[in-house]
Amino acid sequence: MAEEKKISMAVIRRLPRYFRYLSDLMKLDIKRISSKELSERMQITASQIRQDLNCFGGFGQQGYGYNVEYLYDEISKILGTDRRFSCIIVGAGNMGNALANYENFSKRGFDIVGIFDVSPDKVGTVINNIKVLHMDMLPEFVKTHHVDIAMLTVPNSKVNEVAIQVTELGIKGIWNFSPTDLRLGDDVIVENVHLSDSLMVLGYRLKESMEGRKTS
Amino acid sequence: MAEEKKISMAVIRRLPRYFRYLSDLMKLDIKRISSKELSERMQITASQIRQDLNCFGGFGQQGYGYNVEYLYDEISKILGTDRRFSCIIVGAGNMGNALANYENFSKRGFDIVGIFDVSPDKVGTVINNIKVLHMDMLPEFVKTHHVDIAMLTVPNSKVNEVAIQVTELGIKGIWNFSPTDLRLGDDVIVENVHLSDSLMVLGYRLKESMEGRKTS
DNA sequence: TTTGTTTTGACAAAAAAATAACAATTATGA
DNA sequence: TCATAATTGTTATTTTTTTGTCAAAACAAA
């Protein structure tokens, strides 16, 4: 019944970027914007902007452009910024710490409700008002608290095991910070942050650039 | 004179992934691999693997496949894993801390040689054997130490200013952890790690999945 | 050595993504 | 009010990326 218009990942990955730019425009008190002007700011073609936005509906008006606040709200809705996601952090090391202290996540609807680790040094400590629990407590915790997302900042050697564990407990979203590609069920959504991959690409591009070639 | 075969970013961004899988194969003591078998492990088509690798040269042998160690070495060379990059971290907050303590970077050729901040709380502290210096010391530091890459983990409101500052000092590579897109000279290579974008995409996909749609 | 199998590298085809073009619509200013 | 300029949404075109195909090369076994 509902017409399933398939939206490509390429488009979806640009949405947060539109969201950011619109947020900036609002801060600058700019009320309307044309795809042309936005394209100059974002360094992409106006055509792409119009086509991207039209995947979700006609938010603009001919001869006028887009109303910044309206467009912002619509993209918010698409991205689901209105809903809240309960998240746990597994791995209370440096990266886990950094995530737990990152204020913006809760602003965007992602609440850290638990932090887990296995190290006796870490279990019992408090990070940003959240007590670090032992991994053994995880099954019980998930039973009593709804958890949407597990943020995995465990050592590479443990990540597969942990990923299986959290998905078996019914958690459907994984934000994976390890260099390992997780292979889980089709109903589990995995989003990777492969820091070392990113750094290696930077190294490659830098090297090419130093040798006089252009990369992008 | 040199034939500039343009290699697309899509290919380049897959290189670290090949690198990882080959590294794993070596650990498993696997000496040879066909594109078909690698494709099953990596969940991409064999055709893509062969085409990707052929951008850089014929590393395989008909009827045999690819020698794992040789291919690993070749991709290492392409990625520039042999060279070393001197890096500084600007912003000694939680993320800066996490990066400073991440052991794998030096393994891959990225050495953290300095950490900078402006907060009196942080300046003077020692992170992973590196003393945090005040930003005022940066120009002097860059004069006396060669720096390839600045890893920026400063607050969003300061990142533009800092990016301009480091590029004016001649640093050509930027690893940007802020949600802001930096616009710098053509000779500066910027690689972004937009954590909040990634998380928002996870939220979107999770939402879609919960509503019964598939995203990828 | 010979034959059949495997597997690459190259090229062709298909699919996806980005860009361009333009009719339709609205705003703006004379 | 009317004419002109601006700007969208949509369709067409182009470009890029991915996938499929196959001859040629190398291996492996008889």
Side-chain angles (χ1 to χ4, degrees):
Chain A
M1 195 168 268
E3 45 166 303
E4 302 277 309
K5 42 179 173 181
K6 173 96 156 31
I7 290 151
S8 79
M9 263 295 166
V11 175
I12 292 162
R13 292 202 181 283
R14 279 191 293 269
L15 288 179
R17 193 144 180 271
Y18 290 123
F19 185 75
R20 276 194 274 121
Y21 275 82
L22 288 164
S23 169
D24 290 347
L25 289 172
M26 280 169 75
K27 278 180 207 141
L28 294 169
D29 221 42
I30 293 168
K31 300 295 183 195
R32 60 181 265 194
I33 192 146
S34 67
S35 59
K36 181 155 173 286
E37 198 191 329
L38 190 55
S39 81
E40 279 153 15
R41 285 173 184 265
M42 293 184 68
Q43 305 270 70
I44 53 176
T45 64
S47 207
Q48 181 162 69
I49 291 171
R50 293 205 299 277
Q51 201 156 24
D52 281 354
L53 297 179
N54 261 79
C55 293
F56 302 97
F59 303 134
Q61 205 164 17
Q62 284 139 318
Y64 177 87
Y66 298 88
N67 177 297
V68 172
E69 199 172 334
Y70 174 68
L71 187 54
Y72 174 87
D73 287 344
E74 288 301 315
I75 292 181
S76 287
K77 273 188 231 160
I78 294 164
L79 281 169
T81 310
D82 47 326
R83 24 187 115 193
R84 302 208 72 79
F85 295 95
S86 288
C87 311
I88 58 168
I89 293 170
V90 183
N94 289 297
M95 185 56 76
N97 240 278
L99 296 183
N101 284 292
Y102 199 67
E103 304 301 330
N104 277 23
F105 293 156
S106 81
K107 267 192 226 159
R108 291 286 145 80
F110 299 87
D111 300 306
I112 312 294
V113 297
I115 305 175
F116 296 85
D117 206 301
V118 288
S119 159
D121 297 347
K122 284 162 192 160
V123 173
T125 61
V126 175
I127 302 174
N128 202 17
N129 294 317
I130 300 166
K131 200 177 190 179
V132 178
L133 303 176
H134 193 277
M135 275 299 277
D136 294 344
M137 306 295 285
L138 186 58
E140 181 62 25
F141 185 91
V142 176
K143 262 181 218 155
T144 51
H145 303 70
H146 175 71
V147 178
D148 297 295
I149 293 169
M151 302 175 169
L152 307 186
T153 56
V154 299
N156 200 21
S157 56
K158 299 273 178 261
V159 72
N160 249 307
E161 177 193 332
V162 172
I164 289 165
Q165 198 180 344
V166 300
T167 52
E168 278 176 352
L169 292 169
I171 295 173
K172 297 295 183 204
I174 290 189
W175 206 23
N176 173 35
F177 280 77
S178 82
T180 299
D181 298 319
L182 302 171
R183 263 169 95 170
L184 301 162
D186 282 348
D187 57 335
V188 180
I189 310 293
V190 180
E191 190 70 21
N192 294 303
V193 179
H194 289 319
L195 288 185
S196 49
D197 285 18
S198 168
L199 190 52
M200 287 175 92
V201 170
L202 176 56
Y204 173 88
R205 294 175 60 197
L206 207 45
K207 187 194 69 162
E208 291 294 290
S209 168
M210 291 188 305
E211 287 166 3
R213 275 185 284 277
K214 281 277 163 60
T215 32
S216 74
Chain B
M1 198 166 266
E3 44 166 302
E4 301 277 310
K5 41 181 172 180
K6 173 94 157 32
I7 289 152
S8 79
M9 263 295 164
V11 175
I12 291 162
R13 292 203 180 282
R14 280 192 292 269
L15 289 179
R17 192 144 179 270
Y18 291 122
F19 185 75
R20 275 194 275 122
Y21 276 83
L22 288 163
S23 169
D24 291 347
L25 290 172
M26 281 169 74
K27 279 180 204 140
L28 294 168
D29 221 42
I30 292 169
K31 300 294 182 197
R32 60 181 264 195
I33 192 144
S34 67
S35 59
K36 182 155 172 284
E37 198 192 330
L38 190 55
S39 81
E40 279 153 15
R41 288 172 183 266
M42 293 184 70
Q43 305 268 71
I44 53 174
T45 63
S47 205
Q48 182 162 69
I49 292 171
R50 293 206 298 276
Q51 199 155 11
D52 281 354
L53 297 179
N54 261 80
C55 292
F56 302 96
F59 302 134
Q61 205 162 19
Q62 282 138 320
Y64 176 87
Y66 298 87
N67 178 296
V68 172
E69 199 172 335
Y70 174 69
L71 186 54
Y72 175 87
D73 287 344
E74 287 300 316
I75 293 182
S76 288
K77 270 188 233 162
I78 294 164
L79 281 170
T81 310
D82 47 325
R83 25 186 115 191
R84 302 207 73 78
F85 295 95
S86 289
C87 311
I88 59 168
I89 293 170
V90 184
N94 289 296
M95 184 56 76
N97 240 279
L99 296 183
N101 283 292
Y102 199 66
E103 302 301 330
N104 277 23
F105 294 156
S106 82
K107 267 191 226 159
R108 291 288 147 78
F110 299 87
D111 301 306
I112 313 293
V113 297
I115 305 175
F116 296 85
D117 206 301
V118 287
S119 158
D121 297 347
K122 285 162 190 158
V123 173
T125 63
V126 176
I127 302 174
N128 202 16
N129 294 320
I130 300 166
K131 198 176 190 181
V132 179
L133 302 177
H134 193 278
M135 275 300 277
D136 294 345
M137 306 295 285
L138 186 57
E140 181 62 25
F141 186 92
V142 175
K143 261 181 220 156
T144 51
H145 303 72
H146 175 71
V147 178
D148 297 295
I149 292 169
M151 303 175 169
L152 305 187
T153 57
V154 299
N156 200 22
S157 56
K158 297 274 177 264
V159 72
N160 249 308
E161 178 194 331
V162 172
I164 290 166
Q165 198 179 344
V166 299
T167 52
E168 278 175 353
L169 292 169
I171 295 173
K172 297 294 184 206
I174 289 190
W175 206 23
N176 173 35
F177 280 76
S178 83
T180 300
D181 298 319
L182 302 171
R183 263 169 96 171
L184 302 163
D186 282 349
D187 57 335
V188 180
I189 309 293
V190 180
E191 190 69 22
N192 294 303
V193 179
H194 288 321
L195 288 185
S196 49
D197 286 17
S198 169
L199 189 53
M200 287 176 91
V201 170
L202 177 56
Y204 173 89
R205 293 175 60 197
L206 207 46
K207 187 194 69 161
E208 291 293 290
S209 168
M210 293 189 303
E211 288 166 3
R213 276 185 283 277
K214 282 276 163 59
T215 32
S216 75

